[in-house]
């Protein structure tokens, strides 16, 4: 398949070969896209460079999404390198580890602001610049989680940030739709990644969902990548402002199957 032949995608949030962004990058590469990568902190360069090599990607730029000058720099370089782009992938989130354990009620003011800035506002900041490089329209996609809608133990402030992120998707979709730019989110089930490891009890979360989803398993990075491919290709040309679940059906459950050893 060459669903993205002739299209250029900028992917933010690649940390290593466990990243959801890597699942997306592979699916896009297999479908003919030209890719550019951006990573968050200098220490990740040594992990990201070999991955870029694997997919023949020669546009690899650092960008801390809390810094407008970093964001401007990446998009200026992208404009010089590609002229225009067709796809923006936002696969970025962060909250202090203290805020991803224990009780949400204890969230500090600065922890709240940081989580919302990096995990939600950054989509708006990237969309501002990316839309200027999409004269022929395009597709933007971000990653969210069910903790935006329902309270999930330890997800805490990240759930609040994801709620803001999903609302941002709808407002961006409304604003950018007239320019032919679609904006969507994938709500992924839990997957073992660097970011996920920061959530207290994550291994138990993985086990809990794998035993209870309608499909009795968890999802993986490649399944997110394939759905991202659909959402960023012309196959989904009528879809915008949407949150698409790739969670083996977990979110449809009103009550999970009670354990068999219950009376
Ligand atoms: P990951 O650790 O591989 O990716 C998170 C990325 O965010 C990293 O590349 C990190 O460098 C980047 N980042 C953090 N702070 C940044 C900053 N200030 N500037 C720029 N980049 C920054 O983990 P992942 O699980 O692949 O996460 C990708 C996205 O998927 C996140 O939005 C996450 O919330 C979401 N998500 C993950 C899961 C899961 O279970 N893994 C489930 C649903 C949604």
């Amino acid at each position: 398949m060459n669903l993205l032949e002739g299209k250029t995608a900028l992917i933010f949030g690649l940390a290593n070969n466990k990243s959801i962004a890597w699942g997306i990058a592979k699916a896009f590469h297999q479908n003919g896209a030209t890719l550019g990568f951006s990573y968050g902190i200098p220490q990740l360069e040594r992990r990201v460079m070999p991955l870029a090599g694997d997919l023949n990607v020669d546009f690899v730029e650092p960008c801390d999404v809390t810094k407008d000058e970093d964001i401007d720099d990446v998009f200026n370089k992208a404009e010089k390198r590609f002229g225009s782009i067709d796809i923006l992938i936002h696969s970025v989130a962060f909250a202090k580890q203290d805020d991803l354990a224990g009780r949400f009620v204890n969230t500090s003011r600065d922890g709240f602001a940081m989580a919302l800035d990096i995990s939600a506002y950054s989509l708006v900041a990237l969309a501002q610049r990316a839309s200027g490089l999409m004269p022929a329209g395009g597709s933007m996609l971000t990653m969210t989680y069910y903790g935006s809608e329902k309270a999930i133990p330890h997800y805490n402030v990240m759930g609040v940030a994801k709620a803001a992120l999903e609302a941002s998707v709808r407002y961006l979709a409304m604003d950018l739709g007239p320019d032919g730019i679609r904006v969507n989110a994938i709500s992924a089930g839990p997957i073992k990644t660097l970011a996920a490891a920061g959530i207290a009890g994550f291994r138990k979360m993985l086990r809990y969902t794998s035993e209870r989803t309608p499909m009795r398993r968890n999802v993986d990075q490649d399944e997110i990548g394939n759905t991202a491919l659909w959402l960023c290709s012309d196959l989904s040309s009528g879809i915008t402002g949407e949150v698409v679940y790739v969670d083996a059906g977990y979110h449809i459950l009103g009550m999970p199957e009670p354990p068999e050893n219950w009376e």
Side-chain angles (χ1 to χ4, degrees):
M1 281 188 300
N2 270 320
L3 290 171
L4 300 182
E5 193 70 55
K7 295 197 191 289
T8 299
L10 272 191
I11 300 182
F12 287 76
L14 185 60
N16 57 34
N17 66 359
K18 300 279 183 278
S19 292
I20 288 175
W22 180 238
I24 297 173
K26 285 187 294 178
F28 283 14
H29 174 76
Q30 282 158 13
N31 279 270
T34 300
L35 303 180
F37 291 157
S38 174
Y39 57 93
I41 49 169
Q43 294 90 306
L44 290 175
E45 186 180 3
R46 69 188 173 87
R47 298 219 180 271
V48 172
M49 282 304 182
L51 298 177
D54 286 353
L55 303 188
N56 300 319
V57 175
D58 61 9
F59 184 95
V60 186
E61 295 292 334
C63 174
D64 178 344
V65 296
T66 63
K67 297 183 178 150
D68 283 327
E69 60 274 23
D70 277 22
I71 302 176
D72 286 335
D73 189 49
V74 175
F75 281 95
N76 287 336
K77 286 177 176 160
E79 185 172 15
K80 282 201 186 86
R81 172 75 172 74
F82 303 116
S84 61
I85 63 170
D86 305 281
I87 297 166
L88 171 73
I89 299 297
H90 173 274
S91 189
V92 171
F94 184 80
K96 291 183 185 178
Q97 205 154 354
D98 285 356
D99 289 332
L100 296 173
R103 301 172 67 191
F104 171 70
V105 70
N106 294 326
T107 308
S108 64
R109 187 183 295 273
D110 68 320
F112 190 98
M114 178 192 271
L116 271 283
D117 186 16
I118 298 178
S119 316
Y121 179 72
S122 63
L123 174 66
V124 183
L126 298 187
Q128 282 168 11
R129 278 77 166 186
S131 56
L133 296 188
M134 294 178 166
S139 181
M140 301 181 181
L141 181 66
T142 187
M143 299 299 131
T144 188
Y145 175 61
Y146 188 56
S148 62
E149 296 164 57
K150 303 287 179 193
I152 305 263
H154 309 301
Y155 202 63
N156 298 355
V157 71
M158 189 56 79
V160 178
K162 292 301 191 193
L165 180 73
E166 291 174 22
S168 302
V169 165
R170 290 185 281 274
Y171 280 92
L172 289 169
M174 180 174 72
D175 282 357
L176 300 175
D179 303 326
I181 298 171
R182 301 185 292 114
V183 188
N184 292 292
I186 290 177
S187 185
I191 300 175
K192 200 173 166 197
T193 64
L194 203 59
I199 303 164
F202 185 74
R203 274 196 310 172
K204 286 185 192 157
M205 201 167 159
L206 275 178
R207 178 171 167 200
Y208 185 90
T209 52
S210 72
E211 290 175 1
R212 286 167 179 79
T213 63
M215 296 172 76
R216 296 293 189 274
R217 66 171 178 85
N218 284 317
V219 295
D220 66 24
Q221 290 86 339
D222 292 338
E223 290 177 298
I224 311 301
N226 287 335
T227 301
L229 172 65
W230 166 63
L231 280 171
C232 293
S233 76
D234 293 342
L235 288 180
S236 62
S237 56
I239 298 176
T240 195
E242 202 56 71
V243 177
V244 174
Y245 296 85
V246 184
D247 66 350
Y250 185 79
H251 75 285
I252 63 145
L253 296 172
M255 186 178 79
E257 186 78 27
E260 276 179 11
N261 60 0
W262 280 17
E263 289 294 316

